Amino acid sequence: MSENPTVFFRVGSVPEQKLRLDPEEISHLKALRVFAEDKVVQLKDGRGSVSTYQIPAGKKEGDLVQTARIEPSKQTFQLASAVPKGNRLEWLIQKGTELGITHFIFLVFGHSDRKEVNPDRLLRVAAEACSQSHRDFLPEIIGPIQFIKFVESFSKPSKELLLLNPEGKISANPELLQGRTVIVGPEGGFRKEELELCNVKNIPNVNAGSSILRIETAGLYAASLFRLGQLEE
């Protein structure tokens, strides 16, 4: 019998007395070489509900043995970024989820190359990352939203937002990121009017060193600093 439970995410699911595995879940168990064994499967809804099932060897159905409710952490980390091109978007979702990003907010800038996302596909990628990293809560995926509209939605942008800008005069550090949404712009850079808006709103401009980072690299850099700040508390 497999000692460690195998975790699957089904968004919006509710506990039921019987669990019937879907084809993708069966394939995953076979890949892990545990389908032919007695096993424990945990079903998570991504919002704190965990249902544990006992499934006999080689069977597609199992019985409910336990339910639990997990309270979310009060600590959140929101990344608001331009949309990376190609498969780099999924890489950002995967690695950012593992690092603890709780909200991915995608923005449209004047120089944005990509302006659309597939939320359902990104949630599947996030679910796989949550299973891998033993996270109980799926991140929220929001947008795309026009950058100016996003900034204008904050009542205290100078205290709630932080702009990751290669020309920023302040060096990024874990303490500075706590409690703020970090903005990462497009690879074509910010337009003049976008930077002027940030200056009018007194949004701090911070840099990540002398090199220019891609969208997903800058996002993971910020997530790593946030995670470091949590470990230091």
Side-chain angles (χ1 to χ4, degrees):
M1 179 175 178
S2 178
E3 295 182 359
N4 297 319
T6 302
V7 177
F8 295 117
F9 279 81
R10 291 186 185 178
V11 179
S13 63
V14 296
E16 296 183 350
Q17 290 302 314
K18 288 282 187 181
L19 170 67
R20 183 171 181 81
L21 299 168
D22 64 31
E24 187 174 340
E25 292 164 349
I26 293 171
S27 296
H28 183 72
L29 291 170
K30 288 181 177 179
L32 295 176
R33 298 184 178 181
V34 296
F35 182 72
E37 304 175 4
D38 291 339
K39 55 202 160 289
V40 175
V41 168
Q42 285 189 335
L43 199 64
K44 299 183 178 182
D45 70 348
R47 295 293 176 261
S49 175
V50 182
S51 303
T52 303
Y53 294 86
Q54 185 78 47
I55 300 182
K59 300 297 183 181
K60 300 178 181 179
E61 292 186 354
D63 295 316
L64 180 68
V65 295
Q66 182 181 346
T67 61
R69 186 76 193 175
I70 299 171
E71 293 301 318
S73 170
K74 294 181 180 180
Q75 295 291 341
T76 64
F77 179 65
Q78 303 189 55
L79 176 69
S81 77
V83 184
K85 292 183 287 188
N87 60 8
R88 290 157 45 196
L89 171 58
E90 293 189 7
W91 191 82
L92 171 62
I93 294 291
Q94 181 189 67
K95 301 306 177 186
T97 298
E98 292 175 6
L99 282 169
I101 294 177
T102 57
H103 298 73
F104 292 90
I105 306 166
F106 292 108
L107 305 177
V108 176
F109 297 84
H111 289 156
S112 288
D113 292 318
R114 183 173 178 179
K115 301 179 182 180
E116 296 180 354
V117 300
N118 183 338
D120 291 337
R121 170 59 188 163
L122 297 183
L123 274 176
R124 288 196 294 271
V125 173
E128 292 172 1
C130 283
S131 296
Q132 177 69 30
S133 56
H134 295 188
R135 287 188 58 180
D136 296 305
F137 291 84
L138 286 170
E140 291 190 35
I141 298 175
I142 303 166
I145 305 170
Q146 291 291 329
F147 171 68
I148 291 177
K149 181 179 179 180
F150 173 74
V151 172
E152 295 286 3
S153 69
F154 286 82
S155 59
K156 298 179 180 179
S158 63
K159 297 183 181 299
E160 298 172 287
L161 299 175
L162 185 148
L163 187 70
L164 207 56
N165 182 0
E167 298 180 5
K169 304 301 182 184
I170 306 171
S171 295
N173 63 74
E175 184 178 356
L176 190 59
L177 269 64
Q178 304 305 310
R180 294 179 184 267
T181 298
V182 176
I183 299 171
V184 175
E187 289 174 9
F190 298 100
R191 281 188 173 176
K192 180 181 178 181
E193 59 268 26
E194 292 168 345
L195 289 175
E196 288 177 347
L197 173 64
C198 292
N199 289 334
V200 168
K201 298 291 186 179
N202 293 315
I203 299 172
N205 281 232
V206 301
N207 68 72
S210 58
S211 59
I212 303 297
L213 304 180
R214 283 183 165 180
I215 297 167
E216 68 277 13
T217 310
L220 296 184
Y221 168 80
S224 298
L225 284 182
F226 174 80
R227 187 178 180 92
L228 179 61
Q230 296 302 297
L231 295 175
E232 291 177 347
E233 287 187 354

